[in-house]
Structure formats: structure tokens, C-alpha cells
Amino acid sequence: MVYLHAEDRRLTYQDARGSRALTPPLTDADVPAVTFDGRFVVMSGAGARVVDTRTWAPLVLAGAREVHDVNAAGVVVTTGDRVLVLDPRGRERMRLPLGKLGDNYHLRPDGRRLVVIRWAKQRAETYDPATGKRLSAVTYRFPGDDVLENVPGWSKGGRFLLHSAYEDRSYSLDLATGKLTPR
């Protein structure tokens, strides 16, 4: 759990082993937006900071406007005009021009693929972060008049998942063909 401590005004991480301060004392104006996925705490506002709760190593991303994905293989961030795939130390692996508002960027947990979901075009693009090369671009279509609600991203089993709005279903997306398979 991550919370703002009421007395000392520090963002604090707490688990069964105890608690640990993530920031110095903060004013209301300085409290960053926080996301937490169980291992990585992302604090963003003016730049971003990622803390790995296994090593407590902070990664400061000064030019980042938004952190889209973080895992042990790296971080995907957007700046004012581009998407960057960074390794766990913050070194650039790949860059793309910034897409439309609402596009999603998901790094596979092993770092070998980046999937970009283009909401407006109902398209999934797959890239190799090692080379920056686009490997595929497929169009997906939900059954009937259903539409995309959210993008859960990579499953533990290695499938890429999309979630529909009206039917409230999860689908596995074949990144080579665009075929959606209900889960």
C-alpha cells in the first residue's frame, strides 16, 4: 500500500514487513500522482520517479510527462513529443513519435516487445525495442457493436489482453492477425 502519511506528510510504502518513506515531507501542491502495481511505485507530476520496492532503487525520469508501463524489463514514458522505452536504469532503448491522446503503450515483461494500441484506429502495432523496428500492425474488431473499454496489457501467460465495454469481456488479441479470442 502507498499512502500520504497524515502526520509527517511523506508518501509512504507499507507492506507486511513494515513501512518506508518514499519522499521527504510534501506540501499539498507537491503531492505527485501515484500508481502502484505491487512492485513498482510510480510518482509523477513535474517529471516522474519510479521506485522498485525490492531494491528501493529510485529511477528519476526528469522529462517524463506520463509513465505508461513499468516492469522489471523497463519503463515506457511519454514526453512532450515522443514515446520512450527505457531500460531499468533509465537508458533509452527505443523512441517513437507521440501518438494521439489515449493511445496505450505496453512493454512485455521480458522487454522484447512493445505493443501500441491506437484507440482511434482500432489498431495494434508491435515493435522490437532492441531495434525500434515495427514488426506488425493489425486491426482488431470486437463482435457486434462492442468497443474497447480498457487495455489490461500482457497477461502472466504471455497473451495480450483487451477488455470490451458493452459485453464486459476480456479478449486475447493475436498480435499477428488482429483476431480477438474471448477469455
Side-chain angles (χ1 to χ4, degrees), residues 23-43:
T23 66
L26 301 168
T27 66
D28 285 345
D30 292 332
V31 176
V34 176
T35 55
F36 175 57
D37 76 347
R39 176 175 175 183
F40 297 95
V41 178
V42 177
M43 295 168 277

Side-chain angles (χ1 to χ4, degrees), residues 6-128:
E7 293 171 8
D8 67 11
R9 304 283 303 159
R10 297 173 192 258
L11 277 177
T12 304
Y13 169 83
Q14 183 175 346
D15 65 9
R17 297 173 301 204
S19 61
R20 183 179 188 118
L22 297 171
T23 66
L26 301 168
T27 66
D28 285 345
D30 292 332
V31 176
V34 176
T35 55
F36 175 57
D37 76 347
R39 176 175 175 183
F40 297 95
V41 178
V42 177
M43 295 168 277
S44 48
R49 190 167 154 228
V50 178
V51 176
D52 182 337
T53 62
R54 290 189 186 161
T55 65
W56 299 107
L59 176 60
V60 177
L61 306 167
R65 290 203 176 160
E66 186 175 354
V67 177
H68 291 270
D69 198 8
V70 61
N71 60 43
V75 183
V76 181
V77 300
T78 50
T79 65
D81 62 349
R82 62 184 165 258
V83 178
L84 300 175
V85 178
L86 309 171
D87 72 10
R89 293 187 179 140
R91 290 182 295 224
E92 185 177 313
R93 294 181 61 203
M94 182 183 135
R95 74 173 47 201
L96 294 170
L98 185 61
K100 302 255 186 218
L101 184 64
D103 286 351
N104 291 107
Y105 308 94
H106 296 272
L107 185 63
R108 196 162 92 176
D110 65 7
R112 292 179 32 214
R113 296 289 179 265
L114 173 73
V115 174
V116 178
I117 298 296
R118 307 280 186 200
W119 281 63
K121 297 180 180 180
Q122 294 186 352
R123 188 171 71 203
E125 299 171 2
T126 305
Y127 293 85
D128 179 350

Side-chain angles (χ1 to χ4, degrees), residues 107-159:
L107 185 63
R108 196 162 92 176
D110 65 7
R112 292 179 32 214
R113 296 289 179 265
L114 173 73
V115 174
V116 178
I117 298 296
R118 307 280 186 200
W119 281 63
K121 297 180 180 180
Q122 294 186 352
R123 188 171 71 203
E125 299 171 2
T126 305
Y127 293 85
D128 179 350
T131 64
K133 182 179 176 185
R134 185 168 76 179
L135 303 173
S136 68
V138 297
T139 301
Y140 57 86
R141 298 267 186 250
F142 287 98
D145 60 352
D146 212 347
V147 295
L148 181 62
E149 179 179 39
N150 64 50
V151 183
W154 295 98
S155 72
K156 290 184 186 210
R159 295 182 175 159

